[in-house]
Amino acid sequence: MASAAEQLASNLNFSTFAKAEDLKKRIWFTLAALLVYRLGTHIPLPGLNPEAYAAAFKGQSGGILGLFNMFSGGAVQRMAIFALGIMPYISASIIVQLMTSVVPSLENLKKEGEQGRKIINQYTRYGTVLLGTLQAYGIAVGLEHGAGLVNDPGIFFRISTVVTLLGGTMFLMWLGEQITSRGIGNGISLIIFAGIAAGLPTALAGTLELGRTGALSTAAILTVIVVAILVIALIVFFERAQRRLLIQYPKRQVGNRMFQGDTSHLPLKLNTSGVIPAIFASSLLLLPATAAGFTGTSTLPSWATSIISALGHGQPAYMVLYALLIGFFAFFYTAIVFNPKDTADNLKKHGGFIPGIRPGDRTAEYIDYVLTRITLVGAIYLVFVCILPEILVSQTGVPLSLGGTSLLIVVSVTLDTVAQIQGHLIAQQYEGLIKKSKLRGGKRGR
């Protein structure tokens, strides 16, 4: 079966794409949805003084606001209606997935299949509303503490800000779900991808301008570009890397004929969690700065101010915590999405087994053994890819959009989307071959 799929993939060409009407509709829908998202990042928040805010943001763009701005596609820089982006939804997903591991009722819902998944998704939406409301209120209070940022501070501005920013986040969550079901690729990932990709040309142009004015040396710019190319190559290699476990099926007898047992492979990705650890880690590191917006940093205790400063982008504490969170979420998310016990039970149910390993619990233990070790390698790879460019960015002053997290997201989402497009093309070509064989069989019958 694998060889047949590979042969179909090798035969794909432009004519195959031209005939894939459903795929073209999905691609156009995805592009239209992302265009709507990009338009929303340019609609400003009502009641804000744009000139004063632009000046205030310019002084803070190298810190946590720059990181938030990268994920929101420049919406924070313009304080647009999509300034919160999709981050409240991601944070709510973290909390709900953590709770499914410790709350028995949620764990049982997870085992109920599609119906349970719908209920868990509904809880995630409720969590998104709660977190989005808190973060939007924190932004409103933080804006009011800025000198001259708000034209008419007060309760009306806070309410309108919360409603506007929360509505933007809920719309993006809905838009991401629509892209996933009616478009191509993962909707949430593509929204983040579109935001980062839109900022890359500006970041590159800004870097070259810094080199032209002498603020950055030519050696520093070349170093960052070379490191970025190497990191992209590393990401492509590791994202496509797999550990394939050999699966054998016993011989079977049909009538008087004995058929040889089939063999297949169980592919285990080196990085099963994908870009999720980097996104989760970044979103969690945004929480202290968001909490500080409730009262403003000037009224916080000295110890709280010290913590927020230590967790600033590029600080050693930020780097260490970032690496630890990436490693944790790499293992955590892998454990969430891949259950060795269920895989072993399915193999046993269909008569499959790993040579030399007893079916059942021993197979589950072996799969978990292999998965743990390749996940460790994947976690080290993620930490390296995310931390190395971040160190260069913090040391050289290159714009944040060229950091490790942004490169990881852009390359990984691109690979995943291209893989889904190839899957649709293979399915289209396979259906065409079946139709041709049926037509030939009908002609022969006549």
Side-chain angles (χ1 to χ4, degrees):
M1 188 69 180
S3 61
E6 292 172 358
Q7 184 176 0
L8 282 173
S10 63
N11 293 330
L12 295 178
N13 49 41
F14 183 77
S15 62
T16 306
F17 178 80
K19 297 176 183 177
E21 295 296 331
D22 180 66
L23 176 60
K24 287 190 287 186
K25 290 179 181 178
R26 286 178 173 271
I27 292 176
W28 281 115
F29 178 85
T30 302
L31 293 176
L34 294 179
L35 178 61
V36 170
Y37 161 64
R38 291 302 303 156
L39 290 175
T41 61
H42 289 79
I43 302 176
L45 191 70
L48 202 65
N49 185 337
E51 292 80 9
Y53 178 78
F57 179 84
K58 188 175 181 180
Q60 301 291 331
S61 60
I64 201 72
L65 284 181
L67 184 64
F68 212 164
N69 187 59
M70 180 188 71
F71 284 121
S72 64
V76 173
Q77 182 178 359
R78 294 178 285 271
M79 193 46 67
I81 60 175
F82 289 162
L84 275 182
I86 205 68
M87 286 304 159
Y89 176 78
I90 294 175
S91 300
S93 300
I94 297 173
I95 297 172
V96 171
Q97 288 183 354
L98 283 171
M99 292 179 66
T100 55
S101 301
V102 296
V103 179
S105 58
L106 290 178
E107 189 175 359
N108 292 332
L109 279 175
K110 184 182 175 183
K111 297 178 180 178
E112 291 181 4
E114 183 65 20
Q115 187 62 31
R117 187 182 64 83
K118 289 181 179 179
I119 297 176
I120 292 176
N121 287 343
Q122 194 64 29
Y123 289 156
T124 303
R125 295 187 184 99
Y126 294 149
T128 302
V129 173
L130 177 61
L131 290 178
T133 301
L134 293 175
Q135 292 183 12
Y137 186 77
I139 289 175
V141 173
L143 290 173
E144 286 185 337
H145 279 85
L149 297 183
V150 180
N151 295 327
D152 188 16
I155 187 65
F156 180 76
F157 172 77
R158 296 185 184 184
I159 293 175
S160 64
T161 299
V162 170
V163 172
T164 303
L165 294 181
L166 179 61
T169 294
M170 299 307 295
F171 177 79
L172 288 182
M173 182 182 68
W174 173 84
L175 190 66
E177 292 175 351
Q178 294 301 308
I179 293 175
T180 301
S181 60
R182 301 173 59 185
I184 193 78
N186 182 283
I188 302 299
S189 298
L190 280 173
I191 287 176
I192 298 175
F193 164 84
I196 296 174
L200 289 178
T202 303
L204 185 58
T207 302
L208 296 177
E209 179 64 20
L210 290 175
R212 188 186 67 82
T213 57
L216 278 178
S217 65
T218 304
I221 296 176
L222 290 177
T223 300
V224 171
I225 293 176
V226 170
V227 169
I229 294 174
L230 293 177
V231 167
I232 290 173
L234 189 68
I235 292 172
V236 173
F237 174 78
F238 274 91
E239 291 300 318
R240 297 174 66 91
Q242 294 180 347
R243 170 70 188 277
R244 305 177 72 184
L245 299 180
L246 179 64
I247 305 296
Q248 287 188 346
Y249 293 90
K251 297 179 180 180
R252 55 193 178 92
Q253 184 173 358
V254 179
N256 295 326
R257 299 184 60 184
M258 179 67 70
F259 290 88
Q260 183 67 30
D262 295 330
T263 61
S264 64
H265 292 88
L266 175 65
L268 300 177
K269 287 191 65 177
L270 195 65
N271 178 28
T272 305
S273 55
V275 302
I276 296 299
I279 297 176
F280 278 13
S282 299
S283 62
L284 281 183
L285 289 174
L286 290 172
L287 293 180
T290 303
F294 281 102
T295 56
T297 54
S298 59
T299 59
L300 289 176
S302 58
W303 61 267
T305 306
S306 301
I307 291 177
I308 294 175
S309 300
L311 293 179
H313 184 74
Q315 298 297 320
Y318 171 88
M319 296 293 187
V320 172
L321 188 57
Y322 189 35
L324 292 176
L325 286 174
I326 288 175
F328 167 76
F329 282 118
F331 281 93
F332 171 75
Y333 196 76
T334 299
I336 292 293
V337 300
F338 191 94
N339 191 330
K341 176 66 176 175
D342 292 343
T343 304
D345 290 342
N346 289 331
L347 286 176
K348 186 177 181 180
K349 185 186 302 183
H350 293 89
F353 63 94
I354 299 175
I357 306 296
R358 186 181 304 170
D361 292 338
R362 294 295 298 274
T363 298
E365 292 174 1
Y366 178 75
I367 294 175
D368 184 64
Y369 171 85
V370 174
L371 188 64
T372 300
R373 278 147 185 79
I374 65 174
T375 302
L376 176 61
V377 177
I380 294 173
Y381 140 74
L382 284 176
V383 170
F384 178 81
V385 163
C386 292
I387 293 296
L388 178 61
E390 297 292 335
I391 294 174
L392 289 176
V393 167
S394 63
Q395 294 297 320
T396 61
V398 173
L400 185 65
S401 296
L402 297 176
T405 305
S406 58
L407 289 177
L408 177 65
I409 293 173
V410 168
V411 177
S412 299
V413 174
T414 301
L415 290 174
D416 179 64
T417 305
V418 170
Q420 289 200 29
I421 292 175
Q422 289 179 340
H424 279 278
L425 291 176
I426 291 173
Q428 172 79 17
Q429 193 173 26
Y430 186 70
E431 290 176 1
L433 292 175
I434 292 178
K435 289 180 181 179
K436 287 182 179 179
S437 64
K438 287 182 178 180
L439 290 175
R440 289 173 183 173
K443 292 179 179 179
R444 290 174 182 174
R446 293 176 185 176

